[in-house]
């Protein structure tokens, strides 16, 4: 009888530690410049001929505010910043000591077609331009809509 609980415990732990490599990269990736750290960057596989969104988190460890002014991805048309209501944003403010999360249903980066085809597991090199910290480059890995909760 003692062997069954032990076996179940081992199987449960093994299944919990088996993280998909793409999800692990998103969770572990980060890039910094000055007081800013950008992490957890990902994009969602777009539906056929529709826009693609990208998301990330920016932490400002300094006391002075900074501002995300724009994003570039080589080989893609210039993306735009959008708010929760899909309104176009000129910039995104990151207060001193604050963390700003661009996430589904909120602020995000939007790529309008046409752009190169992407599939789950691909990565985009995002070059983020900040007013104070300058340029921060981070890889955003492409995942499916069903995986968003796994990267939060």
């Amino acid at each position: 009888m003692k062997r069954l609980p032990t076996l179940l415990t081992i199987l449960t732990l093994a299944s919990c530690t088996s993280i998909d490599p793409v999800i692990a990269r998103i969770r572990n990736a980060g890039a910094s410049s000055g007081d800013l750290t950008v992490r957890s960057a990902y994009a969602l596989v777009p539906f056929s001929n529709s826009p693609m969104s990208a998301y990330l988190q920016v932490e400002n460890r300094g006391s002075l505010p900074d501002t995300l002014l724009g994003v570039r991805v080589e080989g893609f048309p210039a993306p735009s910043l959008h708010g929760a209501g899909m309104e176009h944003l000129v910039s995104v403010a990151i207060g001193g000591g604050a963390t700003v999360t661009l996430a589904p249903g909120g602020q995000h980066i939007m790529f309008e077609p046409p752009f190169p085809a992407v599939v789950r597991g691909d990565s985009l090199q995002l070059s983020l331009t900040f007013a104070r910290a300058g340029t921060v480059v981070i890889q955003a890995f492409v995942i499916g809509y069903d995986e968003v909760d796994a990267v939060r």
Side-chain angles (χ1 to χ4, degrees), residues 63-77:
S63 59
L64 298 174
D66 208 333
T67 305
L68 174 60
L69 301 172
V71 182
R72 288 181 294 117
V73 175
E74 191 164 326
F76 279 71

Side-chain angles (χ1 to χ4, degrees), residues 35-36 59-67 94-98 132-133:
D35 291 328
L36 295 186
E59 177 187 8
N60 184 348
R61 295 175 317 282
S63 59
L64 298 174
D66 208 333
T67 305
I94 299 98
R132 294 182 53 78

Side-chain angles (χ1 to χ4, degrees), residues 7-114:
L7 179 59
L8 286 176
T9 302
I10 291 169
L11 290 174
T12 301
L13 289 173
S15 67
C16 291
T17 58
S18 170
I19 296 175
D20 178 278
V22 173
I23 300 301
R25 288 182 187 137
I26 294 168
R27 288 181 180 173
N28 296 323
S32 298
S33 178
D35 291 328
L36 295 186
T37 298
V38 179
R39 63 176 53 93
S40 302
Y42 65 95
L44 296 175
V45 175
F47 295 111
S48 179
N49 203 29
S50 64
M52 178 176 63
S53 298
Y55 308 99
L56 49 85
Q57 186 178 76
V58 182
E59 177 187 8
N60 184 348
R61 295 175 317 282
S63 59
L64 298 174
D66 208 333
T67 305
L68 174 60
L69 301 172
V71 182
R72 288 181 294 117
V73 175
E74 191 164 326
F76 279 71
S80 55
L81 300 169
H82 283 261
M86 293 299 291
E87 71 273 12
H88 181 81
L89 301 175
V90 174
S91 61
V92 174
I94 299 98
T99 298
V100 173
T101 302
L102 280 60
Q107 296 176 332
H108 58 281
I109 300 164
M110 179 72 72
F111 297 89
E112 294 291 339

